[in-house]
Amino acid sequence: MKIVYLLALGLLAGCTQEPPTGAQLFADNCTACHGADGTGSGWVASGLERKPANLTTLSARNKGVFPMERVLSTIDGFHRNPAFETAMPEFGSFFSGPMDQIELDGVMTPVPEPLLLVAEYLRSLQTE
């Protein structure tokens, strides 16, 4: 009986899975176009008419401030730039999940946790 108990514990331990990190979500969904380093050098980039954005310079291109609301909206698909509308997928339904509250322009706003994890990871990639 002791062996059955130990096997059951082992199986249960294998069933618990840590939620993905922002880095993992980025690696799984964004690197083909944006590259592992976020500079827009993914393996698909050379075949695209418009080169993917360098995601490491978002803050630098926004006067030193990370544009969280724009990043969330772009990934989600709420804000679509016509220049890349057909190239970048809308990840809104894919990055759904439990909601977190963040402050955007002074208003507490619910954001799906996976979407926020990717955006926070992008913030960590900023070079300036």
Side-chain angles (χ1 to χ4, degrees), residues 29-86:
N29 300 285
C30 309
T31 58
C33 294
H34 293 284
D37 60 358
T39 61
S41 60
W43 63 271
V44 173
S46 64
L48 296 175
E49 188 173 313
R50 181 182 165 115
K51 184 172 169 54
N54 180 341
L55 302 176
T56 67
T57 60
L58 294 169
S59 293
R61 291 182 276 144
N62 195 50
K63 300 177 183 166
V65 178
F66 184 75
M68 179 62 83
E69 185 174 357
R70 190 174 81 226
V71 167
L72 291 169
S73 293
T74 300
I75 297 168
D76 179 74
F78 183 72
H79 168 75
R80 302 306 291 171
N81 181 334
F84 61 77
E85 184 173 309
T86 58

Side-chain angles (χ1 to χ4, degrees), residues 3-16:
I3 292 175
V4 172
Y5 177 71
L6 290 174
L7 286 173
L9 278 177
L11 287 173
L12 286 175
C15 291
T16 59

